[in-house]
Amino acid sequence: MSIYILVSNINTREDAKQVEIQLKPYREVLKWTIDLSDDEKVLRGRYRRT
């Protein structure tokens, strides 16, 4: 399993919903979160190694 921590430009829950739509088809993505309260809007993701 790999964990990625990325700075994003996701600012709203609506933006997060669009990210969810884009990530949903990928079975490798186990879990992801976005910290909207952080200035850098950190996107964290756990991914299964393929």
Side-chain angles (χ1 to χ4, degrees):
M1 182 181 342
S2 298
I3 298 174
Y4 293 92
I5 301 172
L6 307 165
V7 174
S8 78
N9 63 350
I10 301 163
N11 293 305
T12 66
R13 288 180 186 231
E14 290 79 23
D15 294 340
K17 292 269 187 204
Q18 291 302 314
V19 171
E20 179 179 20
I21 290 168
Q22 296 299 315
L23 293 178
K24 198 169 191 171
Y26 297 97
R27 291 182 177 207
E28 299 86 9
V29 179
L30 301 174
K31 183 178 180 178
W32 61 275
T33 60
I34 302 167
D35 186 351
L36 293 175
S37 65
D38 187 282
D39 288 340
E40 294 181 327
K41 311 299 183 208
V42 174
L43 168 63
R44 291 179 181 87
R46 271 198 319 201
Y47 301 87
R48 179 182 16 237
R49 293 183 188 172
T50 56

